[in-house]
């Protein structure tokens, strides 16, 4: 545990360029328990990166914690001799763009070039950009060069470098404009964005089937990053009858329309469900603010809507993909699918019925991604389901 009183005094003497931090710091005066909560420990860095409540102190998310974490990542990249190039994206959460800029400025100051998205983009787009540009890492969560979350070994090395960095003075940084002028910070080009959409569309099992399906959709991005990319894909697929939930259409880091923007809980889907009933839609789709998870509700025969669980949708997708690829003649020889150990065992039975090897991994897409990497090295094709 940190000497929270000493750390608090250090922050009081420091130059805090963020007005919100200075105001909150001043408000803690004389409140020992609150000071201890803010300064008694540090946020930990793991395979998902670093996250926490916004605020002042070592146990909160702020520009100093972001700089310290980024400096640790930079030192790891330099000491391991990795490619000096990192992709960065950000979402609709408060200070998302501010933190993305801080990350870019610290990396640039360390001589590491950056490819930064110029607008909100979901986690899958960052994963794609990391691989498209052959980066050594991606920042939004903490990604390795394969576009998956860092391995435990890599995350531990980065965390040690973070711990060696003084939170207030240890990180290098440089002005954003100067880094742009020097070519260290560049925005993600349209070619990469278009390649991402092309890659998404290439996953279609029955290309063109949606154009004549007459599907009626209600969609909500839950005030996150999904609006532009998801609606773009709908358009490309030929799905034209799409209604967006108006209260949840545009980015809003306060997420005022639901208690928690998780598309797997009913409370987050209520506005979408009401609109779906009004429009008599076939389907309600909701993406979480990162747009790497989806919630689904289907219209039943009696006109009501039933939420589909992750396990249920995973089994339906596994069946659809396997059957569809057989019908289209695109199922590879000795096919492999991958799922986490917490997913339904029904998936094993479906896979076995189609002659698909189903591999089990620990929970987390990094482990699924690792299996995909192993298979590709051996020239084999796979598809994954994270249930």
């Amino acid at each position: 545990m940190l000497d929270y009183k000493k750390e608090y005094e250090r922050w009081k003497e420091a130059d805090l360029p963020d007005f919100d931090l200075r105001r909150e710091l001043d408000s803690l005066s004389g409140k020992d328990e609150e000071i201890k909560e803010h300064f008694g420990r540090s946020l930990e860095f793991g395979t998902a990166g670093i996250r926490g409540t916004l605020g002042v102190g070592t146990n909160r998310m702020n520009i100093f914690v972001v700089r310290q974490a980024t400096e640790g990542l930079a030192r790891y990249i330099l000491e391991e001799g990795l490619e000096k190039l990192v992709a960065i994206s950000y979402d609709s959460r408060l200070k998302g763009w501010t933190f993305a800029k801080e990350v870019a400025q610290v990396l640039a100051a360390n001589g590491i070039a950056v490819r930064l998205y110029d607008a909100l983009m979901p986690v899958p787009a960052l994963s794609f950009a990391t691989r498209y540009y052959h980066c050594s890492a991606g920042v939004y969560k903490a990604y390795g060069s394969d576009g998956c979350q860092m391995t435990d070994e890599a995350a531990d090395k980065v965390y040690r470098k973070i711990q060696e960095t003084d939170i207030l003075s240890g990180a290098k940084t440089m002005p954003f404009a100067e880094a742009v002028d020097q070519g260290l910070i560049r925005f993600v080009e349209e070619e990469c964005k278009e390649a991402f959409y092309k890659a998404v569309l290439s996953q279609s099992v029955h290309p063109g089937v949606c154009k004549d399906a007459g599907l009626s959709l209600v969609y909500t991005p839950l005030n996150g990053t999904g609006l532009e990319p998801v609606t773009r894909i709908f358009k490309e697929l030929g799905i034209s009858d799409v209604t967006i939930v108006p209260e949840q259409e545009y980015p809003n880091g306060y997420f005022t329309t639901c208690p928690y923007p998780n598309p797997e809980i009913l409370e987050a889907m209520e506005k979408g469900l009401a609109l779906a009933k009004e429009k008599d839609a076939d389907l309600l789709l909701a993406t979480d603010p990162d747009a790497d998870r989806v919630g689904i509700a289907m219209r039943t025969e009696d006109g009501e809507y039933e939420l589909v669980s992750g396990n249920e949708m995973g089994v339906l997708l596994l069946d659809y993909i396997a059957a569809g690829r057989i019908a289209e003649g695109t199922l590879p020889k000795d096919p492999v699918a991958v799922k986490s150990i917490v997913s339904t065992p029904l998936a094993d039975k479906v896979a076995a019925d189609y002659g698909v090897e189903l591999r089990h991994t620990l929970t987390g897409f990094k482990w699924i991604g690792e299996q995909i990497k192993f298979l590709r090295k051996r020239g084999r094709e796979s598809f994954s389901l994270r249930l």
Side-chain angles (χ1 to χ4, degrees):
M1 178 174 289
L2 294 171
D3 184 336
Y4 66 93
K5 292 182 179 179
K6 181 179 179 181
E7 192 64 23
Y8 170 62
E9 293 298 326
R10 278 213 319 141
W11 281 63
K12 284 176 63 177
E13 297 299 321
D15 177 21
L16 303 184
D18 188 322
F19 173 78
D20 291 336
L21 293 184
R22 173 58 64 184
R23 181 176 58 182
E24 185 178 9
L25 187 69
D26 292 341
S27 74
L28 294 176
S29 179
K31 302 174 183 176
D32 188 71
E33 284 303 312
E34 290 188 34
I35 292 172
K36 184 177 181 180
E37 167 61 23
H38 282 255
F39 294 94
R41 62 188 298 271
S42 298
L43 290 176
E44 293 189 3
F45 180 94
T47 58
I50 190 167
R51 61 181 63 186
T53 303
L54 289 174
V56 71
T58 57
N59 193 30
R60 293 290 187 272
M61 280 295 295
N62 52 67
I63 60 173
F64 293 103
V65 169
V66 169
R67 287 174 181 174
Q68 181 191 39
T70 308
E71 181 70 23
L73 174 64
R75 293 182 186 181
Y76 164 75
I77 290 171
L78 295 173
E79 292 182 18
E80 294 288 322
L82 304 178
E83 185 70 30
K84 292 192 285 186
L85 183 61
V86 173
I88 302 173
S89 185
Y90 60 98
D91 62 16
S92 60
R93 283 175 288 191
L94 301 177
K95 296 189 181 293
W97 170 243
T98 298
F99 290 163
K101 285 179 64 180
E102 291 290 345
V103 171
Q105 290 170 169
V106 172
L107 290 170
N110 281 277
I112 298 171
V114 165
R115 295 293 180 272
L116 173 65
Y117 273 103
D118 58 359
L120 304 179
M121 285 298 282
V123 163
L126 174 67
S127 176
F128 184 86
T130 301
R131 288 176 286 122
Y132 182 87
Y133 288 114
H134 305 289
C135 299
S136 61
V139 176
Y140 182 128
K141 296 182 180 177
Y143 282 1
S145 59
D146 59 356
C148 293
Q149 287 181 359
M150 280 188 172
T151 64
D152 291 335
E153 180 183 2
D156 287 344
K157 288 181 178 180
V158 173
Y159 187 46
R160 285 197 292 272
K161 298 302 174 186
I162 292 171
Q163 291 176 307
E164 294 170 3
T165 305
D166 184 87
I167 191 169
L168 293 176
S169 61
K172 303 181 184 71
T173 189
M174 68 185 300
F176 190 87
E178 182 181 334
V180 171
D181 288 343
Q182 293 184 21
L184 287 165
I185 295 177
R186 291 171 56 188
F187 289 109
V188 172
E189 292 103 340
E190 289 301 314
E191 289 82 358
C192 177
K193 298 176 185 177
E194 291 302 315
F196 170 64
Y197 291 125
K198 184 178 179 180
V200 172
L201 291 166
S202 73
Q203 302 305 305
S204 179
V205 177
H206 297 294
V209 71
C210 291
K211 291 182 179 179
D212 302 316
L215 190 65
S216 173
L217 285 182
V218 167
Y219 168 63
T220 171
L222 293 178
N223 301 120
T225 61
L227 179 63
E228 181 178 340
V230 173
T231 55
R232 163 70 183 270
I233 293 298
F234 287 158
K235 181 179 179 180
E236 295 283 352
L237 290 173
I239 303 173
S240 57
D241 187 357
V242 180
T243 304
I244 311 297
V245 177
E247 302 92 335
Q248 298 172 333
E249 182 172 5
Y250 297 110
N252 179 353
Y254 292 100
F255 305 110
T256 54
T257 62
C258 56
Y260 189 71
N262 180 345
E264 297 168 313
I265 63 173
L266 178 62
E267 292 85 351
M269 302 284 274
E270 285 181 341
K271 290 189 179 296
L273 287 168
L275 187 57
K277 290 178 181 178
E278 177 187 329
K279 297 291 184 180
D280 195 29
D282 299 308
L283 205 61
L284 165 65
L285 296 178
T287 50
D288 74 325
D290 290 348
D292 63 354
R293 287 183 296 160
V294 63
I296 300 171
M298 299 188 300
R299 187 179 61 199
T300 60
E301 292 182 357
D302 60 3
E304 295 300 315
Y305 289 83
E306 180 178 344
L307 294 180
V308 183
S309 72
N311 276 319
E312 290 169 336
M313 184 49 59
V315 169
L316 289 171
L317 282 172
L318 179 59
D319 178 74
Y320 179 80
I321 293 171
R325 284 194 165 208
I326 289 172
E328 296 283 344
T330 57
L331 189 71
K333 182 182 178 182
D334 302 323
V336 178
V338 187
K339 78 175 185 71
S340 65
I341 58 175
V342 298
S343 303
T344 174
L346 182 57
D348 296 81
K349 296 183 181 296
V350 173
D353 191 59
Y354 287 107
V356 175
E357 178 191 349
L358 189 61
R359 296 188 179 182
H360 296 192
T361 71
L362 296 174
T363 305
F365 194 78
K366 63 181 178 180
W367 304 113
I368 294 176
E370 184 180 54
Q371 286 296 316
I372 294 172
K373 181 170 63 176
F374 291 157
L375 289 165
R376 283 180 175 168
K377 283 183 178 179
R378 297 168 188 166
R380 298 180 66 184
E381 186 175 351
S382 68
F383 55 93
S384 64
L385 295 172
R386 183 184 180 188
L387 313 182

